[in-house]
Amino acid sequence: MDLADLWFVAIAVLWTGYFFLEGFDFGVGMLLPVLGRTDEERGALIQTIGGVWDGNEVWLIVAAGATFAAFPLWYATMFSSLYLLLLAVLVALIVRGVALEFRGKGDSPRWRANWDRLLVAGSLVPAVLWGAVFGNIARGLPLDAEHVLRGGLGDLLNWYALVGGLVTVTLFLLHGALFLSLRTTGELQARARRAASRIGPLPVLAIIGFVAAIQAQRGTAATAVTGGLAVVALLGAWAMTRRWAGLGFVLTGTAIVAATATLFLASYPTVLPSTIDPAYDITVHNASSTDYTLVVMTWAAAIFLPIVLAYQAWTYWIFAKRIGAVQSPAAGGTASEEADASR
């Protein structure tokens, strides 16, 4: 394995970490109006992610930055070809972040209810569109010899994008429900467990369909194994929803890891397939930076990555206390201030 391959693996790990951590954030946001029946309950649900959501988004920034530095051609082609989808994701993430911080800035229940609606939308849109983005990457894009997209938005709204969106939104819903089962108490915890039990079959069916499509198009033994692992892990998570939420959460995390590995292994060493001609594919080696750049990046990662991981682990330890609706401040603060109140 050379440095280009190593950084391909590193970027896959970064995306996996982002989907694992931000996945339950999105799930909490989407479940907000379902599980939170009062303003106090919705405030308590937001407290569960109030101290960690912004740290979780750092994984996205690092994944995009690492792709830009290690594989500039891959970055440029992917972000220009999928510009509209990624722009919608960016706008939704901004709306979500503003909603989390501004929700508690007013005393009116109507004020908080409006920000709650934006929080739900800002969680749902990225949850769907990330699946659409990676569904298109798995299927391939109509790239010409200059690596320019020959098509429009209609070419991106295909069957792969639809099923990919169903995979991510249902998987994140289940992941979020199990996370809330671990972070809440009383009636909120009971509702979260019931929601997880009802959601459970949906990501199983979605992943079976998506993995079957990838396997039929360009699958290998590795994608069959990782895809099968994702399905088995989800079945186990569904079985654990009523009794052992902790194990169920670990299993949904395993499914996210396996599903992401399936996407990255499906066409390796190709990172962005062309549906026009395989000769126009973007691969790990024709897209990588110089060896000097990759060496510098490797040393920087070796020095700073352990520090960042240790800090994030400490953050989760600090905000590990279970939360009940009675702990939610009456008027609320920002998401971070509400999280501080729960410590």
Side-chain angles (χ1 to χ4, degrees):
M1 177 182 290
D2 58 22
L3 285 178
D5 293 312
L6 177 64
W7 274 100
F8 173 79
V9 173
I11 289 169
V13 170
L14 289 169
W15 279 109
T16 302
Y18 172 69
F19 288 141
F20 180 90
L21 297 172
E22 196 79 317
F24 63 73
D25 284 353
F26 291 146
V28 171
M30 290 186 285
L31 290 168
L32 193 65
V34 178
L35 302 183
R37 298 176 184 175
T38 66
D39 183 52
E40 289 74 17
E41 288 180 345
R42 289 189 290 274
L45 294 175
I46 291 172
Q47 284 182 34
T48 64
I49 60 172
V52 298
W53 70 269
D54 45 358
N56 294 343
E57 288 195 350
V58 171
W59 287 75
L60 172 62
I61 298 170
V62 176
T67 305
F68 170 76
F71 302 100
L73 178 60
W74 181 13
Y75 176 92
T77 304
M78 179 174 65
F79 277 78
S80 60
S81 300
L82 300 171
Y83 177 78
L84 290 176
L85 297 181
L86 293 173
L87 177 62
V89 170
L90 177 61
V91 171
L93 291 176
I94 292 172
V95 168
R96 175 172 166 268
V98 172
L100 283 165
E101 293 301 322
F102 274 67
R103 180 188 187 274
K105 295 299 184 181
D107 295 333
S108 165
R110 183 177 178 182
W111 167 274
R112 292 194 293 275
N114 287 333
W115 286 114
D116 286 346
R117 294 186 187 99
L118 290 175
L119 174 56
V120 174
S123 300
L124 175 62
V125 171
V128 173
L129 291 186
W130 278 129
V133 165
F134 280 92
N136 275 290
I137 292 174
R139 169 181 175 265
L141 298 172
L143 302 175
D144 63 16
E146 304 299 322
H147 301 127
V148 175
L149 182 72
R150 295 305 177 189
L153 181 61
D155 296 292
L156 303 180
L157 302 178
N158 50 67
W159 186 85
Y160 272 81
L162 173 62
V163 178
L166 288 174
V167 168
T168 48
V169 74
T170 55
L171 182 53
F172 292 164
L173 278 169
L174 178 59
H175 200 44
L178 288 167
F179 174 77
L180 289 173
S181 298
L182 296 173
R183 294 284 284 114
T184 56
T185 61
E187 182 58 27
L188 282 177
Q189 183 184 50
R191 287 180 208 157
R193 288 187 173 181
R194 287 195 296 269
S197 180
R198 292 166 184 168
I199 296 166
L202 302 179
V204 175
L205 296 174
I207 283 190
I208 288 174
F210 193 63
V211 170
I214 292 179
Q215 193 65 24
Q217 182 177 6
R218 56 167 60 86
T220 63
T223 59
V225 170
T226 54
L229 177 60
V231 173
V232 171
L234 279 176
L235 287 171
W238 181 24
M240 296 295 105
T241 52
R242 289 293 184 138
R243 297 189 60 187
W244 297 299
L247 181 56
F249 182 75
V250 171
L251 288 171
T252 56
T254 303
I256 289 173
V257 172
T260 309
T262 301
L263 287 170
F264 277 87
L265 289 173
S267 54
Y268 175 83
T270 301
V271 294
L272 206 54
S274 170
T275 57
I276 295 177
D277 189 332
Y280 305 153
D281 289 351
I282 296 177
T283 68
V284 168
H285 297 99
N286 68 19
S288 69
S289 295
T290 63
D291 288 341
Y292 178 77
T293 300
L294 297 178
V295 168
V296 172
M297 290 177 61
T298 303
W299 277 106
I303 294 171
F304 293 107
L305 183 60
I307 299 173
V308 174
L309 291 177
Y311 174 78
Q312 190 158 31
W314 175 79
T315 302
Y316 274 92
W317 175 261
I318 291 296
F319 293 106
K321 183 181 177 182
R322 286 183 180 268
I323 295 170
V326 294
Q327 295 171 281
S328 180
T334 66
S336 300
E337 289 167 348
E338 290 183 349
D340 288 339
S342 72
R343 289 173 56 179

